[in-house]
Amino acid sequence: MSNKVALITGITGQDGSYLAEFLLTKGYKVYGMVRRASVEKFERIEHLIDSNQIELIQGDLLDQYSLTAVLQQARPNEVYNLAAQSFVPTSWAQPVLTSEFTAVGVTRLLEAIRFVDPSIRFYQASSSEMFGKVRETPQTEMTPFYPRSPYGVSKVYGHYIVVNYRESYNLFAVSGILFNHESPRRGLEFVTRKVTDGVARIKLGLASDLKLGNLDAKRDWGFAGDYVQAMWLMLQQSKPEDYVIATGKTHSVRDLVNVAFSHVDLDWNKFVKTDKAFLRPAEVDLLVGDSNKAHKELKWEPKVSFEEMIRMMVDADLERLKHAQNHRRAMGYHA
């Protein structure tokens, strides 16, 4: 077992919660950086807080001084930067704020590491959205970037500033170019969770249809629980390198819909409606990753299949909604 210390930014998110659980199994002391907010959202890590398995520290990627203070308090061996404004449609509505968090925030954190302790190993969450209008298929570590959203552009900046600090200051700083990865902890605004939640609602009689955008858009979807292991493996190597993490298989939104509705014995054609309001200004049509480098050097392989993951998500949403219904009934509501 390890006696290492890890700091996770974005610990309240999907990846942060799975990574925290994973690092705890490896014997790490885990700190999570959280922003001060009037309404705290800790659902994904509540079980870890209640059992005193992790410690939270307030900090903000927009505030250089707070990042330095967080590092001085936690004294981590490893920092995992998972915090970002990560919802692509929001990046169109708030492009400047997205770049402050997702791009410049990386620089602030690297500067804080350089100031406090340059021996800290740093992981940056890069994204397949950086490939955007793809130059080749499948995409590898060497594929040129062509981002198609403010989010994608911000992630490219974050990616290259990590390369720059690695080469200029000899920091152990790496980026994982993660393709789409989902789970029952995915936010409801993301298409996979929107579908599985919608299916559960329709099955339980809480909704009559599901509105979606481009059913032909294809993605390389994996399970978040598998992908956080790759993050950790990258920081255990003898030299810092960047890796594409993906399943190498692509599925369309239509495939996603089909698996989810089939799992509850419903015909999706009767319930799904396409709505132009959900189309992006610039669509990314096909993303599929080549993880051969990660397979060979990290010995990493995805374990949960696309179909297993979607069924797992539908089951979790059914359970959540049934629990909410039972709670309402117990409280005397009948809606």
Side-chain angles (χ1 to χ4, degrees):
M1 296 294 277
S2 168
N3 57 0
K4 287 183 179 178
V5 177
L7 171 70
I8 304 171
T9 73
I11 195 168
T12 60
Q14 168 188 257
D15 293 5
S17 63
Y18 280 112
L19 178 61
E21 289 172 346
F22 177 80
L23 293 176
L24 288 169
T25 68
K26 295 289 182 183
Y28 278 66
K29 165 70 176 172
V30 176
Y31 288 91
M33 190 182 88
V34 294
R35 299 180 70 207
R36 175 75 183 91
S38 55
V39 179
E40 307 286 10
K41 291 190 174 181
F42 296 145
E43 303 95 15
R44 297 181 182 95
I45 56 170
E46 221 154 25
H47 59 298
L48 301 179
I49 297 171
D50 292 345
S51 54
N52 295 313
Q53 293 185 75
I54 60 174
E55 192 170 324
L56 301 182
I57 310 176
Q58 285 189 3
D60 198 318
L61 287 178
L62 301 185
D63 182 354
Q64 183 73 55
Y65 177 78
S66 75
L67 298 177
T68 300
V70 166
L71 292 178
Q72 288 172 332
Q73 182 178 341
R75 288 291 169 180
N77 305 102
E78 299 171 359
V79 170
Y80 295 86
N81 184 36
L82 310 185
Q85 190 302 100
S86 59
F87 188 46
V88 174
T90 298
S91 78
W92 290 103
Q94 299 179 337
V96 176
L97 185 64
T98 297
S99 65
E100 282 287 348
F101 275 116
T102 310
V104 185
V106 185
T107 315
R108 293 190 188 101
L109 195 44
L110 287 167
E111 274 294 289
I113 287 171
R114 206 162 68 86
F115 176 76
V116 175
D117 181 2
S119 72
I120 292 171
R121 295 194 168 200
F122 177 79
Y123 171 85
Q124 166 63 12
S126 285
S127 166
S128 59
E129 288 286 334
M130 300 188 305
F131 295 120
K133 191 174 182 179
V134 297
R135 293 319 210 196
E136 62 181 9
T137 300
Q139 293 88 52
T140 72
E141 292 81 6
M142 302 305 292
T143 302
F145 299 134
Y146 194 143
R148 299 272 277 170
S149 68
Y151 169 75
V153 172
S154 298
K155 279 293 186 183
V156 170
Y157 175 100
H159 183 85
Y160 277 126
I161 203 68
V162 169
V163 173
N164 198 262
Y165 271 64
R166 179 168 70 216
E167 296 178 352
S168 302
Y169 300 118
N170 201 32
L171 296 183
F172 195 109
V174 304
S175 290
I177 308 173
L178 270 58
F179 280 64
N180 292 64
H181 46 289
E182 318 297 317
S183 76
R185 299 180 191 175
R186 191 54 141 156
L188 283 165
E189 68 272 24
F190 291 88
V191 68
T192 46
R193 187 70 196 291
K194 182 179 178 181
V195 168
T196 62
D197 175 73
V199 166
R201 287 180 182 279
I202 290 168
K203 183 65 177 178
L204 295 174
L206 299 172
S208 57
D209 60 25
L210 175 62
K211 293 185 174 70
L212 296 170
N214 181 10
L215 296 182
D216 296 317
K218 293 181 179 178
R219 293 291 184 274
D220 183 330
W221 275 302
F223 175 55
D226 290 340
Y227 284 35
V228 298
Q229 182 183 8
M231 300 175 186
W232 174 75
L233 286 167
M234 287 179 216
L235 293 193
Q236 312 314 308
Q237 303 307 301
S238 57
K239 59 179 182 176
E241 296 208 15
D242 304 326
Y243 295 87
V244 163
I245 303 299
T247 68
K249 298 173 182 175
T250 125
H251 297 89
S252 67
V253 175
R254 187 176 275 101
D255 295 334
L256 159 63
V257 165
N258 188 33
V259 172
F261 275 93
S262 296
H263 186 52
V264 294
D265 299 317
L266 292 175
D267 178 358
W268 70 267
N269 291 285
K270 295 178 181 177
F271 302 100
V272 173
K273 297 178 180 177
T274 53
D275 187 335
K276 289 180 180 177
F278 297 112
L279 297 177
R280 295 184 184 184
E283 182 58 86
V284 175
D285 292 313
L286 176 60
L287 290 171
V288 55
D290 179 346
S291 287
N292 279 327
K293 182 182 176 185
H295 300 329
K296 290 173 186 171
E297 297 181 13
L298 304 179
K299 304 294 186 272
W300 176 83
E301 296 285 347
K303 298 180 180 71
V304 178
S305 74
F306 172 75
E307 292 79 11
E308 288 171 331
M309 177 183 70
I310 299 305
R311 290 194 287 265
M312 176 202 310
M313 292 172 69
V314 171
D315 288 341
D317 279 321
L318 281 168
E319 187 177 334
R320 175 180 59 86
L321 291 168
K322 284 176 184 174
H323 179 77
Q325 279 185 318
N326 292 336
H327 178 71
R328 287 178 66 83
R329 290 192 188 104
M331 297 296 289
Y333 296 106
H334 300 285

